[in-house]
């Protein structure tokens, strides 16, 4: 169906481009880009639901996820219809038509594909920080900007292991027990961080969303960001490689650059670690591919994005008013999605800041160094070409 729709659009475009006397070569390139351009599938009904742990420790039945995007799209379409009644009327767009208000302060989106072995440690470090800094998950109040209230959305991205069970068992244990044994994560081992204490969390703090088929890290993150309730939204890798305790640095950085509409993006960065043991111990091939990709980024991305020294760190924070400028226009579902998010922010004149964070290598990466590097380079080239050619555009 998608291919048929695209071919229909191409047919309409064909006559238009013929009238403009576009060269055959340009037309062929345009057709190729249309056919190759990724178009994410719509979410399925079950993927717009979540499971959590009830006060008695039982798993909930699937519950409907709140979705700011559905409401935002409906209001935007209504504004377009209203504008069409009066020719010449400008369609109302954000920030004149803002996103609905936050219900809590911090939303954490965790994409997880077959992460049964690493997820618990990351969640332990996350809930310890969130509960200590932002209070109970239920302390937030809708429309308020107080730093209270948090949630974690775990997106099981077509996992075939026990990722879902591990997340829900973790939530159950931390809701019911005041004295459970903490699960050490990457930053609570070997004495390089303060010892974790037992963190009791309120019911419903952790919501688990099951994607029926693997979409890729970018698809899982984007899906989660459609359903967040926080004033600030951070996505964090399930391996816990980024030090979660540095989240406060991202919040401070974002707040320091926000515009009058409250828009801003803070990018966790490992650039300061270049030359450190964490990077030097990587294989020569991996370091070579990393540097080559950075060169490609500087060549192929617009100025503000090109100046970012680390676009691929899985620890980025967005203020809520930023989301309507990014999430509805996302296409990349693979590893290159970070770059598309940053380019969309730049195109909307949203300020971005790079913030140095703690990071360490964690065993079990799903990244295939050679093939995924090639895929990222191809994805970047295709992404940039589609936006330049007008195949991707804001409405």
């Amino acid at each position: 169906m998608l291919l048929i729709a695209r071919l229909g659009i191409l047919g309409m475009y064909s006559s238009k481009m013929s009238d403009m006397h576009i060269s055959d070569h340009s037309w062929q390139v345009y057709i190729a880009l249309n056919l190759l351009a990724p178009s994410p599938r719509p979410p399925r009904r079950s993927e717009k639901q979540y499971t959590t742990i009830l006060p008695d420790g039982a798993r909930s039945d699937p519950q409907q996820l709140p979705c700011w995007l559905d409401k935002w799209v409906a209001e935007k379409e209504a504004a377009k219809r209203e504008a069409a009644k009066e020719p010449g009327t400008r369609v109302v767009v954000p920030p004149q038509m803002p996103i609905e208000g936050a219900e809590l302060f911090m939303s954490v989106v965790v994409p997880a594909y077959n992460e049964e072995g690493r997820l618990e440690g990351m969640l332990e470090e996350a809930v310890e920080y969130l509960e200590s800094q932002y209070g109970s998950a239920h302390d937030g109040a809708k429309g308020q900007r107080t730093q209270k209230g948090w949630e974690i959305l775990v997106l099981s991205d077509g996992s075939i292991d026990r990722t879902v069970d591990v997340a829900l068992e973790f939530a159950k244990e931390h809701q019911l027990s005041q004295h459970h044994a903490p699960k050490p994560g990457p930053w609570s081992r070997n004495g390089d961080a303060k010892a974790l204490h037992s963190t009791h969390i309120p019911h419903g703090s952790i919501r688990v969303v099951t994607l029926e088929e693997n979409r890729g890290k970018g698809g899982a993150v984007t899906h989660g960001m459609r359903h967040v309730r926080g004033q600030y939204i951070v996505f964090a890798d399930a391996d816990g490689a980024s030090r979660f305790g540095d989240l406060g640095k991202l919040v401070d950085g974002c707040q320091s650059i926000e515009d009058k509409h409250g828009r801003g993006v803070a990018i966790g960065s490992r650039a300061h670690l270049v030359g450190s043991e964490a990077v030097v111990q990587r294989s020569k091939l991996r370091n070579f591919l990393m540097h080559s990709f950075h060169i490609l980024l500087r060549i192929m991305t617009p100025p503000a994005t090109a100046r970012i020294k680390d676009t691929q760190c899985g620890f980025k924070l967005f203020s809520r008013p930023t989301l309507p400028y990014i999430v509805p226009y996302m296409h990349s579902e693979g590893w290159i999605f970070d770059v598309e998010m940053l380019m969309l922010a730049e195109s909307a004149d949203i300020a971005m800041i790079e913030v140095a964070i703690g990071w360490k290598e964690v065993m079990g990466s799903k990244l295939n160094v050679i093939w995924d590097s090639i895929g990222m380079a191809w994805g970047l080239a295709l992404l940039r070409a589609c936006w330049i050619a007008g195949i991707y555009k804001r409405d």
Side-chain angles (χ1 to χ4, degrees), residues 185-203:
W187 292 95
S188 53
R189 297 190 182 110
N190 304 323
D192 59 358
K194 65 178 182 179
L196 288 172
H197 59 76
S198 175
T199 303
H200 182 71
I201 63 176
H203 70 89

Side-chain angles (χ1 to χ4, degrees), residues 68 109 153 155 209 219-229 233:
W68 66 264
V109 175
L153 273 67
L155 283 295
V209 181
V221 169
T222 302
H223 184 81
M225 291 176 74
R226 297 184 184 117
H227 301 286
V228 291
R229 298 176 291 157
I233 299 89

Side-chain angles (χ1 to χ4, degrees), residues 351-377:
M352 299 181 285
I353 185 171
E354 206 163 358
V355 179
I357 62 164
W359 181 89
K360 59 172 58 178
E361 194 86 50
V362 178
M363 298 297 292
S365 173
K366 308 295 190 302
L367 183 72
N368 182 301
V369 176
I370 297 177
W371 288 111
D372 286 329
S373 295
I374 294 172
M376 288 167 68

Side-chain angles (χ1 to χ4, degrees), residues 257-270:
I257 60 165
E258 288 175 8
D259 61 17
K260 64 181 180 180
H261 305 298
R263 306 180 307 165
V265 178
I267 303 156
S269 177
R270 303 160 295 182

Side-chain angles (χ1 to χ4, degrees), residues 135-169:
S136 167
H138 304 304
D139 281 350
K142 191 165 185 175
Q144 293 185 5
R145 290 178 61 89
T146 55
Q147 295 192 9
K148 292 293 183 181
W150 58 270
E151 66 176 350
I152 295 177
L153 273 67
V154 176
L155 283 295
S156 176
D157 189 18
S159 299
I160 57 175
D161 67 352
R162 297 187 64 255
T163 294
V164 170
D165 291 332
V166 166
L168 290 172
E169 288 167 7

Side-chain angles (χ1 to χ4, degrees), residues 72-258:
W72 184 86
V73 169
E75 291 177 350
K76 189 171 186 178
E77 291 305 312
K80 285 182 178 180
R81 290 193 296 271
E82 192 64 28
K85 295 177 182 178
E86 301 179 28
T89 302
R90 187 179 177 185
V91 176
V92 180
V93 295
Q96 291 82 9
M97 189 179 68
I99 185 174
E100 65 181 354
E103 296 181 23
L104 38 80
F105 185 73
M106 183 62 64
S107 292
V108 182
V109 175
V110 183
Y113 175 62
N114 292 342
E115 291 288 358
E116 64 178 4
R118 304 191 295 180
L119 183 60
E120 282 185 298
M122 179 271 169
L123 289 176
E124 191 75 65
E125 293 174 355
V127 299
E128 191 276 334
Y129 180 84
L130 293 167
E131 191 70 9
S132 66
Q133 294 297 312
Y134 306 127
S136 167
H138 304 304
D139 281 350
K142 191 165 185 175
Q144 293 185 5
R145 290 178 61 89
T146 55
Q147 295 192 9
K148 292 293 183 181
W150 58 270
E151 66 176 350
I152 295 177
L153 273 67
V154 176
L155 283 295
S156 176
D157 189 18
S159 299
I160 57 175
D161 67 352
R162 297 187 64 255
T163 294
V164 170
D165 291 332
V166 166
L168 290 172
E169 288 167 7
F170 175 93
K172 178 179 179 179
E173 184 177 73
H174 285 66
Q175 285 180 198
L176 298 182
S177 173
Q178 294 277 6
H179 306 289
H180 63 272
K183 309 293 191 301
W187 292 95
S188 53
R189 297 190 182 110
N190 304 323
D192 59 358
K194 65 178 182 179
L196 288 172
H197 59 76
S198 175
T199 303
H200 182 71
I201 63 176
H203 70 89
S205 312
I206 297 174
R207 298 179 169 189
V208 180
V209 181
T210 301
L211 303 183
E212 295 180 13
E213 296 179 12
N214 179 264
R215 302 193 68 140
K217 180 182 175 182
V221 169
T222 302
H223 184 81
M225 291 176 74
R226 297 184 184 117
H227 301 286
V228 291
R229 298 176 291 157
Q231 179 62 30
Y232 289 93
I233 299 89
V234 64
F235 68 79
D237 288 345
D239 61 3
S242 299
R243 183 165 54 206
F244 202 89
D246 287 338
L247 177 58
K249 295 181 181 180
L250 295 186
V251 174
D252 291 343
C254 189
Q255 291 178 339
S256 72
I257 60 165
E258 288 175 8

